[in-house]
Amino acid sequence: MTDATANTAPAGAGQGSLLIKDSRTAKRNGAEGRFKMYGLIAVCIGIAMLILLLTSILTSGLSAFWQTTIQIEVTLPEEKLDKSGVRDPEVMAKVTTFGYAPLLRDGLEATIAANGIETELSAKDAAELISDESVAQLRNRVLRNPDLIGQTVSVEVMASGRIDGFYKGRVTYASAERDTNISPAQLQLAEALEDKGLLNTSFNWLFLTAPDASDTRPEAAGLGVAILGSLYMMLIVLVLALPIGVAASVYLEEFAPQNRWTDLVEVNISNLAAVPSIVFGILGLAIFINFAGLPQSAPIVGGLVLTLMTLPTIIIATRAALKSVPPSIRDAALGLGASRMQSVFHHVLPLAMPGILTGTILGLAQALGETAPLLLIGMVAFVREYPEAPWEGGLFDPATALPVQVFNWTQRSDPAFVERASGAIIVLLVFLLLMNLTAIFLRRRFERRW
Amino acid sequence: MYDMRLTERVLDTETDKPKITAKGVQVYYGDTHAIKDVNVDIADKTVTAFIGPSGCGKSTFLRCLNRMNDTISIARVEGDIRIDGEDIYDKRVDPVQLRAKVGMVFQKPNPFPKSIYDNVAYGPRIHGLSRNKSDLDEIVENALRRAALWDEAKDRLSQPGTGLSGGQQQRLCIARAVATAPEILLMDEPCSALDPIATAQVEELIDELRQSYSVVIVTHSMQQAARVSQKTAFFHLGHLVEYGETGKIFTSPEDPRTESYISGRIG
């Protein structure tokens, strides 16, 4: 290559034997080699950082998907849970979790005794092994299935956050000495239960389905509401941003006259893409909540704000996709007597589809990971209630979002929430990965040659 | 390769009423004056060739005839162009309707990335030329036969048109234009991307299309103009320098510029 170009250089440059590299060639080759090396180093640094990030998140977050549980036998006496004996769930609901808590405590005590485990702990201290959330879970189970009353059932209850942490390496005997929430004796009891096969670790579905929990119950905190909230917002963004974005791009690219107004609109769209996302949050707060009176913390407001934020991305991607369709296709359609609109909708748009879909999905992925604007519209709230289905007005119910949940959990004091936050990041990354895979799949599927 | 049939022309077009008349046509691209005062009458059922060096305005003028220049925002057309006596730049004329009447084949084969069948059927579909499926099948078959592509394509109608060879693609584009049943067919250097064999096939086709259409062809190749056309117009720097019977233009041109071009001194 270099030798060939050297030969065409002006007289003097190509003189001499081709077998000996002249100094210019050596210099050029050297520069090229160095450039390749810089590039390689840059790529390696990038990959190393990515690996570092993923390992750190995975090591601290993967354990969130596992939960330590304790198998205990619980007796459900009728006189305590349903004095009336009619098994009417409304009547039974009058017995609160305070009525159920002693049952679990007694159950654990009985289980310990039945398995011949010796412990100096009182029944109350031993019960601290069990998560407070388990009481509510037991109550819900009984309310759903009143026939259980009067029986002795085997239930799998969540271990408390400290015990869970003990099996995940977060809590040790040494740390338990200094911890008011757990004592070494309790850890010994946990180990004894494990020896008898009563304490197990299983996949933590509740992490994906349960709502958030309070500071004292990290083991019960789940992503259910956050995932639903994010899903609702993505739905709103897709339904609003895709048609508006595509319509705007098609108009600008195919129909708009080339004048100063169009230029102005174009420049402003590009600028909007560069506006910091928190500005969109302030806009959402001022317009959608304060002016339009939409509820705070609602997916509808989050979705609208994210739509505004995603629109420029979609418009820019769509216009690039439309531009990449060869003009000869438009000429061909127009030459056959197709109208502008027919040429766009029959030919140009289908050909631009892979690019449009890729841009849209990347825009959605960006919106999915966006936190700042959601903080301003109140989506950082502590939400225990699942929003209703979208057709039942769920878009107006309070909800939170995945990245906001991460932000929320990182602010809590219990170290168990670090694990939860990292686990939430893994869920978020999996969603982003899935979206990008969809983008790649769609591009492959619709890609056509011309 | 070319039989003498092509050179034995019947030239009795002078007496017919012209299909297209252009008077005082000026075209501007922004500040560039691309076409300067062109006057020309184009006869029906004739092949008219526009020749001239690159950038002389022959393609620009061709694109005025079906208002394809409308798609270029900076282009401005002045003057009077009539087809069958109707001013095609009249405010009441819809360019879309005009282009159904005046078909066009482009320099580079540009089939839609759809099946061969859908390529040909597109025009008839959007203009509602067929009542049912069998009607459309017939239109597609006829168009492909006229474009001498039927035998090669009949077994692969559902395959993409972009999978054909360059020459086949161009014939597909011709079939596509023919399927819309135009009255005039404009061809902008239809053979410039083709090899000699494909060129020969397309040229033969053009000669056959003359039976039904008025064909206007822009070409870089003087040999091609001589082979396929009955009338030739020589453009130079935006002027229509000379227009007349092809035989006369190539044997005894009146203008010295035409002579220079034909003998290879300019161009």
Side-chain angles (χ1 to χ4, degrees), chain A residues 328 334 336-337 346-347 448, chain B residues 71 96 99 110 113 122 127 176:
Chain A
S328 65
L334 293 178
L336 282 174
H346 295 166
H347 303 290
R448 288 193 233 189
Chain B
T71 63
V96 170
R99 288 181 203 132
N110 55 355
Y122 183 68
H127 296 299
R176 190 173 63 183

Side-chain angles (χ1 to χ4, degrees), chain A residues 87-103:
Chain A
R87 303 287 187 271
D88 181 359
E90 283 198 23
V91 179
M92 287 161 61
K94 283 180 184 155
V95 182
T96 61
T97 47
F98 288 111
Y100 283 84
L103 302 180

